[in-house]
Amino acid sequence: MTLDFTAIDFETANSSPASACSVGLVKVRDGKVVDRAGWFIRPPLGHDQFQEWNIRIHGIQPHQVADAASWVDQLADLVEFAEDDHLVAHNAGFDMGVIRAACQATLVACPEYSYLCSLQVARRTYTLESYRLPVAAMAAGFDGFQHHDALADAEACAAIVIHAARRHEAATIADLSALTGARLGRIGVPVAA
């Protein structure tokens, strides 16, 4: 199996997709988790108000991110971790929207990535009453994690994709996309040579 990808999950301070306050990243090589990273992010000005609803969901308080590096200062770390992998996220439209919006809000170029949504993959792999991350992760044999912790959610997402790839006998993310009909999307602009 040459199943290589980086699972990613963001938590946000408020309803603005640019308000990333935490990220979790899980690197998978040959269908196995080989590295994990997660950190707080100081949301950009104008997107840095924490809403009570968001705090209740993820438990991150404004003081926890006050000394964290900003999106601009951390984007290079995110790109260095993910390298040129396919990104995978559960409800990927949200997480890719965070990358786009945070880049736009801070006037930096959005990195170019292809991505796959583990929610779409789960819908085409399992028969469940709900496809929320905890339920889909349990179907993949991954449970008991702290939902809405960005790193734990990225690990759950990775587990879903690894399990689904085995179930569909998919060797790569592109194979899994083709076998499940889950669209392989793109963000960013091509990097000039």
Side-chain angles (χ1 to χ4, degrees):
M1 181 181 281
T2 57
L3 189 69
D4 297 344
F5 64 90
T6 295
I8 189 167
D9 184 80
F10 289 101
E11 298 300 328
T12 56
N14 55 59
S15 59
S16 166
S19 70
C21 62
S22 176
V23 64
L25 299 155
V26 174
K27 184 175 290 292
V28 173
R29 290 290 176 264
D30 294 323
K32 292 183 174 63
V33 173
V34 297
D35 201 5
R36 298 167 177 81
W39 56 79
F40 289 129
I41 301 167
R42 187 169 25 90
L45 288 175
H47 303 272
D48 54 346
Q49 284 297 112
F50 276 72
Q51 290 178 339
E52 184 61 35
W53 173 254
N54 293 64
I55 293 170
R56 272 191 290 209
I57 290 173
H58 52 57
I60 300 169
Q61 299 284 334
H63 73 272
Q64 292 175 278
V65 304
D67 294 327
S70 69
W71 177 262
V72 171
D73 296 329
Q74 293 189 24
L75 182 58
D77 295 332
L78 189 154
V79 170
E80 182 181 343
F81 186 95
E83 300 175 297
D84 60 353
D85 280 355
H86 293 286
L87 298 182
V88 173
H90 204 72
N91 190 17
F94 170 80
D95 297 282
M96 299 308 114
V98 168
I99 295 171
R100 279 190 208 100
C103 287
Q104 185 176 19
T106 56
L107 305 175
V108 297
C110 182
E112 184 180 6
Y113 281 102
S114 62
Y115 66 88
L116 184 68
C117 180
S118 62
L119 175 61
Q120 290 179 12
V121 170
R123 285 183 172 147
R124 292 164 173 90
T125 302
Y126 312 114
T127 302
L128 304 170
E129 288 185 22
S130 165
Y131 292 90
R132 291 179 58 247
L133 184 60
V135 178
M138 190 179 299
F142 187 89
D143 58 2
F145 67 99
Q146 185 180 339
H147 188 31
H148 295 299
D149 172 274
L151 182 54
D153 284 359
E155 289 176 313
C157 175
I160 292 166
V161 172
I162 292 167
H163 185 263
R166 287 187 183 129
R167 197 164 183 176
H168 291 284
E169 298 181 358
T172 67
I173 288 295
D175 291 345
L176 184 59
S177 170
L179 288 165
T180 61
R183 186 178 71 83
L184 206 52
R186 289 203 71 76
I187 63 165
V189 294
V191 179

